[in-house]
Amino acid sequence: MMIRRINNIPFHAIATLLFFPLFLSAQEGSQPKKAVIESHYRDEIKALAEQNVIKSAFQTIIELEPETIKNLVTLTQIPAPPFKEQARATQFRQMLQALGVDSVWVDQAGNVIGLRRGKSGKKTVVIEGHIDTVFPEGTDVTVKQKEDTLYAPGIGDDTRGLSILLTLVKSMNKVGLKTDADILFIGTTGEEGLGDLRGVKQLFNSGLKIDSYISIDGESIANIVYGGVGSLRYRITYKGPGGHSYGAFGLANPHNALGRTIHYFINDADAFTRQGIRTTYNVGVIGGGTSVNAIPFESWMEVDMRSESPERLSGIDKLLQQAIQRGLQEENAMKRSGIDLMVDVRLVGDRPSGVQHSSLPLIQRAGASSLFFGETPELSIISTNANYPISKNISAITIGRGGKSGGAHSLNEWWINDKGWLAIQYALLVLVSEAGLAR
């Protein structure tokens, strides 16, 4: 019996998962709860919004609407499949450079990072949108317009976030808005699917100084993501010699081991998830075998497990590992001839979970900014790039891109510019309140 755990990502499996309903940037967690915003943060945001430079930036954002939409269309029509975001990243980098940020570079994960220096630079605030989409190579990403609606795969999730970043930089530069903190405007890679947050993980594992983190990857500016639903994903493969269904009958069969594993795991996971903090599981993809009259040489599945509780996620993971061993051992014990099966257990996704206290200044400022624009702020726990900084005890939120949208992760994704400038003004207010307006 051979058991191996391999932590690299199986790139050949990516295409299989692309059209499964993962919806990672809008994955539901617990029900949103109303945010309680302290009065002094409301006063702070109101006073900030009354500053002439902020008012000028707000007006500039409105005037830049045609350019914002043009940028959205340009970037959307550049494919950015998982692990192949380079073409869109190159264009985004050129756009940032043209706007006059202090410096722009691309890191080892392909993140495009634009630095706008602050007056003191004692603090660094990140604001980002992710470059990648869920759609594979060959997908038609041409933007089509029908009346007031733009249709294209990725038009909202999250190309709209990138276009917001560009408008923020241009509006701040045009009115001479200076912040006290340094700001990093980032297009991140690897947010979707098996990308496993590789972009944001690189940011925090590269020695880059980050004090606060703002991700633009939602819809309504009323919704503030302040916690992360963690996930573990495995590709589990049973392997054997394979052979003729009649002539080699009696060999250990990988399909049998996989079937047993699914049965034991689902039975135990069902009982485990009926109580306590919400925890989910899914056997999303299975494969293997070559013919009805051939004993397969391999049988595999991909499993997704999620929870906002690290302890619960660890608990259901333990059940899966036990089921894997039980399925393997029982099939090997039943074989009549030949060698034992072995199993590869590959961790192909590991998104950490965690929830912050709602009293954190960044969360309060986002909520107060939402109130300023007449919204009733709610706090949500879902899976976004903010998962990783939250797990590192760095203040982090995910905020909405505005407008109206639907069909995320589908070929019929759409976005309507319904007062879309409000989301950009909102992002500016949150960003400057956190970075500090230089005096």
Side-chain angles (χ1 to χ4, degrees), residues 234 236 265 303 305 316-324:
Y234 288 95
I236 299 148
F265 173 58
V303 180
M305 301 173 292
I316 197 168
D317 183 26
K318 182 178 180 180
L319 296 180
L320 175 63
Q321 303 307 323
Q322 291 172 346
I324 291 168

Side-chain angles (χ1 to χ4, degrees), residues 1-7 235 237 239 321 325 342-347:
M1 178 178 67
M2 183 181 296
I3 303 168
R4 291 182 286 165
R5 184 184 297 266
I6 304 173
N7 291 329
R235 182 180 173 101
T237 306
K239 297 182 178 182
Q321 303 307 323
Q325 297 312 311
M342 70 176 192
V343 63
D344 281 350
V345 182
R346 298 192 179 202
L347 182 64

Side-chain angles (χ1 to χ4, degrees), residues 68-81 88 91-92 95 131 133 135 139-144 150-163 166 413-415:
T68 302
I69 301 304
K70 181 181 178 181
N71 290 338
L72 174 61
V73 172
T74 297
L75 289 168
T76 299
Q77 294 186 147
I78 301 173
R88 182 180 288 186
Q91 179 64 45
F92 183 66
M95 288 173 156
I131 298 171
T133 71
F135 303 99
T139 301
D140 183 1
V141 291
T142 304
V143 177
K144 301 176 178 66
L150 299 177
Y151 292 88
I155 189 79
D157 185 12
D158 185 34
T159 320
R160 166 68 177 169
L162 298 178
S163 68
L166 296 171
E413 187 172 353
W414 56 270
W415 185 78

Side-chain angles (χ1 to χ4, degrees), residues 362-381:
L362 177 58
I363 298 171
Q364 288 287 308
R365 287 166 177 151
S369 298
S370 183
L371 284 170
F372 177 81
F373 286 100
E375 301 287 348
T376 301
E378 292 184 327
L379 302 178
S380 295
I381 302 172

Side-chain angles (χ1 to χ4, degrees), residues 91-109:
Q91 179 64 45
F92 183 66
R93 178 181 185 177
Q94 292 172 354
M95 288 173 156
L96 272 181
Q97 287 176 322
L99 293 177
V101 291
D102 292 295
S103 59
V104 183
W105 69 96
V106 177
D107 68 13
Q108 292 181 353

Side-chain angles (χ1 to χ4, degrees), residues 180-200:
D180 187 67
D182 290 344
I183 299 175
L184 296 176
F185 293 87
I186 305 178
T188 57
T189 58
E191 195 278 339
E192 298 287 7
L194 292 178
D196 198 34
L197 306 186
R198 78 179 192 281
V200 67

Side-chain angles (χ1 to χ4, degrees), residues 265-275 281 312 319:
F265 173 58
I266 298 305
N267 275 353
D268 291 343
D270 176 68
F272 181 82
T273 58
R274 287 184 179 272
Q275 57 186 353
Y281 59 91
R312 296 286 290 172
L319 296 180

Side-chain angles (χ1 to χ4, degrees), residues 79-327:
F83 300 96
K84 295 182 178 181
E85 306 99 329
Q86 294 90 336
R88 182 180 288 186
T90 297
Q91 179 64 45
F92 183 66
R93 178 181 185 177
Q94 292 172 354
M95 288 173 156
L96 272 181
Q97 287 176 322
L99 293 177
V101 291
D102 292 295
S103 59
V104 183
W105 69 96
V106 177
D107 68 13
Q108 292 181 353
N111 297 311
V112 178
I113 305 170
L115 169 64
R116 191 175 191 270
R117 296 191 183 281
K119 182 178 180 180
S120 74
K122 294 179 181 179
K123 180 178 178 180
T124 301
V125 179
V126 165
I127 184 163
E128 59 91 3
H130 64 82
I131 298 171
D132 58 318
T133 71
V134 301
F135 303 99
E137 285 184 285
T139 301
D140 183 1
V141 291
T142 304
V143 177
K144 301 176 178 66
Q145 184 167 357
K146 296 180 182 178
E147 297 180 349
D148 62 351
T149 306
L150 299 177
Y151 292 88
I155 189 79
D157 185 12
D158 185 34
T159 320
R160 166 68 177 169
L162 298 178
S163 68
I164 288 176
L165 295 182
L166 296 171
T167 299
L168 286 173
V169 174
K170 186 160 187 175
S171 62
M172 292 171 74
N173 286 349
K174 190 172 182 179
V175 302
L177 194 160
K178 302 294 184 182
T179 58
D180 187 67
D182 290 344
I183 299 175
L184 296 176
F185 293 87
I186 305 178
T188 57
T189 58
E191 195 278 339
E192 298 287 7
L194 292 178
D196 198 34
L197 306 186
R198 78 179 192 281
V200 67
K201 287 178 179 179
Q202 172 65 26
L203 295 177
F204 282 90
N205 293 324
S206 64
L208 198 64
K209 177 180 177 290
I210 299 173
D211 298 290
S212 300
Y213 194 96
I214 302 166
S215 176
I216 304 174
D217 189 15
E219 294 184 6
S220 170
I221 65 173
N223 190 270
I224 302 159
V225 177
Y226 80 124
V229 175
S231 65
L232 292 173
R233 291 173 176 170
Y234 288 95
R235 182 180 173 101
I236 299 148
T237 306
Y238 290 96
K239 297 182 178 182
H244 194 279
S245 63
Y246 187 79
F249 179 72
L251 293 178
N253 188 316
H255 281 352
N256 296 349
L258 186 75
R260 285 189 173 89
T261 296
I262 293 174
H263 171 74
Y264 294 134
F265 173 58
I266 298 305
N267 275 353
D268 291 343
D270 176 68
F272 181 82
T273 58
R274 287 184 179 272
Q275 57 186 353
I277 296 173
R278 186 169 189 251
T279 304
T280 66
Y281 59 91
N282 182 56
V283 179
V285 190
I286 59 175
T290 57
S291 172
V292 69
N293 62 337
I295 300 168
F297 59 86
E298 74 171 19
S299 185
W300 57 268
M301 66 176 174
E302 289 173 335
V303 180
D304 171 274
M305 301 173 292
R306 302 184 185 217
S307 181
E308 64 193 64
S309 163
E311 294 76 19
R312 296 286 290 172
L313 194 57
S314 176
I316 197 168
D317 183 26
K318 182 178 180 180
L319 296 180
L320 175 63
Q321 303 307 323
Q322 291 172 346
I324 291 168
Q325 297 312 311
R326 188 174 177 184

